[in-house]
Amino acid sequence: MTASPVPAPATLTARAQEVSSEIVTDILTLVRQETSSHDLAGLAAGLDLLRELAVHRLGRPDHEHRHPGGECGDTLTLTYTGTGAGHVALVGHYDTVWPTGTFAGWVQPEADGDGREKLSAPGIFDMKTGLAQGMWALKLARESGAPLPTVTFLFNGDEEIGSLSSRPVIEDLAKKADVTLVLEPTAHGAVKTARKGSGIFRAAATGVEAHAGLAPQDGASAILALSEFVIAAAKVARPEKGTTVNPGLISGGSATNVVAGQATASIDIRISSESEQDRVDAEFAAIEVSDPRVRIEVDHAWNRPPMTLNDASAPLFALAREVAREQGRADLPEAAVGGASDANFVAALGLPVLCGMGAVGDGAHAQGEFIYPDTVPAQTALVAGLLGRLAQPLRG
């Protein structure tokens, strides 16, 4: 990698500390606008708010494009031209798993036993803190006067439901950029260099309806057959190999006095290797139920491939560790996690990517998810410092 002047680490970190309250204000502004993956109006308002915040902090972008999401939230790209030859993609989703209206009844958690402050809100950890920190990272890097890469922000509103419309936009941007930094939350301060692949299988059972009292023998229950299938499917899991199977949703039938003619189940599957993906496919296809009158069809919908620290990403992680050390951190750990993210798509292309560059806290997708606000300056300074080192393309 071509060397370029960089801001003094201590100065950058100190500046992040000075503006910490403003960054937290932006974080709270974002979480107050609820953006459930299934609320198109809320998502549209949330994306408008994100753009307004970016323009407020960074000025109008040199290029922007809003990609329609159809039944999903739109994807917005904002490009700020740098002074160097490098190009960095900063990727983050603005949708959350929380239904609209959750914020009103949210209860703040108590501080840790040592009195350490927490901030809690739906989506604050996963991952609106990362979005605010990313914008401020570019702002602080600009203020430092260091040469900077061109930076393209990508905000998508469908990550929590599989990035169904945004995946091609993410992959296209990753191919154009030199590196991609995904602003998902950290793993207790660690960068996420490996993630499981994921799939959401849909099993649909079609039986024979009949009156449950007058002629139950004439019916073939889709619910009973699907229950058999789900129990068998759960046994396909191999936790020791990193494979989990979770039947998360199930529904069916038309009335209590009718033998169910239809039933469906949505099954979340996580894998750590392609070989396990092949095994899961084969074993699901081999499942049989006891009533031959019931037909079960399974949609093997693999969503994200497994992510590992590939050869392209290793130099980027080494650089991130170097920046962290220069900023006074003893170490920047890495972690492998069970959750998938948009970084999986980039890694599968063999391109350099780091994930988990955002919030420090805990409780993703759980009541009481929170961040530690005292970590906001360091995380923002880390991304800002990386930008200052990526004015020229990274070379492995």
Side-chain angles (χ1 to χ4, degrees):
M1 184 181 67
T2 304
S4 60
V6 295
T11 302
L12 193 56
T13 304
R15 179 61 180 149
Q17 188 66 52
E18 288 175 2
V19 298
S20 177
S21 63
E22 294 182 70
I23 304 173
V24 170
T25 294
D26 287 352
I27 293 168
L28 296 177
T29 297
L30 291 176
V31 298
R32 289 189 187 103
Q33 172 57 58
E34 294 180 278
T35 48
S36 164
S37 303
H38 304 286
D39 180 358
L40 288 179
L43 289 166
L47 189 53
D48 288 343
L49 178 61
L50 260 175
R51 184 190 178 280
E52 290 172 10
L53 199 55
V55 171
H56 176 59
R57 296 302 184 189
L58 300 169
R60 292 189 178 277
D62 297 294
H63 305 283
E64 69 175 288
H65 189 78
R66 190 160 180 154
H67 305 262
E71 296 181 358
C72 304
D74 292 348
T75 298
L76 179 67
T77 54
L78 305 174
T79 298
Y80 292 90
T81 303
T83 54
H87 185 187
V88 176
L90 293 180
V91 174
H93 68 88
Y94 61 94
D95 65 318
T96 78
V97 299
W98 300 102
T100 301
T102 301
F103 184 84
W106 197 266
V107 178
Q108 286 293 320
E110 296 181 0
D112 283 354
D114 60 2
R116 190 179 186 188
E117 182 186 6
K118 296 178 180 178
L119 287 178
S120 181
I124 195 169
F125 180 61
D126 186 14
M127 56 162 287
K128 293 185 176 180
T129 291
L131 301 180
Q133 289 177 173
M135 288 186 280
W136 272 93
L138 178 55
K139 179 177 173 62
L140 297 183
R142 279 177 167 182
E143 289 179 359
S144 73
L148 290 176
T150 291
V151 173
T152 298
F153 291 93
L154 184 149
F155 303 127
N156 59 320
D158 60 351
E159 192 273 347
E160 296 292 5
I161 54 174
S163 299
L164 304 177
S165 70
S166 62
R167 178 177 181 174
V169 185
I170 294 165
E171 292 176 333
D172 183 60
L173 173 59
K175 292 173 184 176
K176 294 175 181 176
D178 299 306
V179 303
T180 300
L181 303 178
V182 180
L183 302 167
E184 287 272 1
T186 67
H188 304 288
V191 173
K192 297 171 180 176
T193 55
R195 284 181 172 274
K196 289 186 179 182
S198 64
I200 301 175
F201 285 18
R202 184 177 185 275
T206 303
V208 180
E209 289 189 338
H211 194 292
L214 296 177
Q217 69 282 355
D218 293 339
S221 174
I223 288 178
L224 286 177
L226 187 62
S227 298
E228 285 184 52
F229 180 91
V230 165
I231 291 171
K235 294 178 181 178
V236 175
R238 295 288 185 274
E240 70 279 6
K241 294 185 177 181
T243 302
T244 59
V245 178
N246 178 58
L249 294 171
I250 192 165
S251 63
S254 58
T256 57
N257 61 349
V258 177
V259 176
Q262 57 79 31
T264 61
S266 293
I267 305 170
D268 179 285
I269 302 170
R270 307 290 170 133
I271 52 160
S272 296
S273 66
E274 290 185 6
S275 61
E276 276 297 279
Q277 178 174 322
D278 293 339
R279 183 187 67 81
V280 168
D281 278 332
E283 293 196 17
F284 263 69
I287 295 174
E288 295 182 351
V289 296
S290 58
D291 193 332
R293 295 174 296 170
V294 179
R295 183 178 76 256
I296 296 183
E297 298 175 312
V298 184
D299 178 14
H300 293 227
W302 291 106
N303 177 242
R304 290 184 172 92
M307 169 187 166
T308 58
L309 185 64
N310 58 29
D311 291 342
S313 299
L316 179 59
F317 180 53
L319 181 62
R321 275 186 154 164
E322 183 179 322
V323 170
R325 285 193 298 269
E326 291 172 349
Q327 293 181 350
R329 296 195 188 190
D331 186 32
L332 182 64
E334 62 180 309
V337 298
S341 83
D342 291 328
N344 292 57
F345 299 137
V346 182
L349 296 173
L351 299 171
V353 59
L354 289 182
C355 192
M357 302 300 294
V360 179
D362 206 353
H365 299 192
Q367 184 72 34
E369 68 170 286
F370 70 92
I371 66 164
Y372 290 114
D374 61 1
T375 64
V376 166
Q379 289 300 111
T380 305
L382 175 61
V383 177
L386 260 177
L387 294 179
R389 298 292 293 274
L390 292 169
Q392 298 300 321
L394 181 68
R395 305 300 180 192

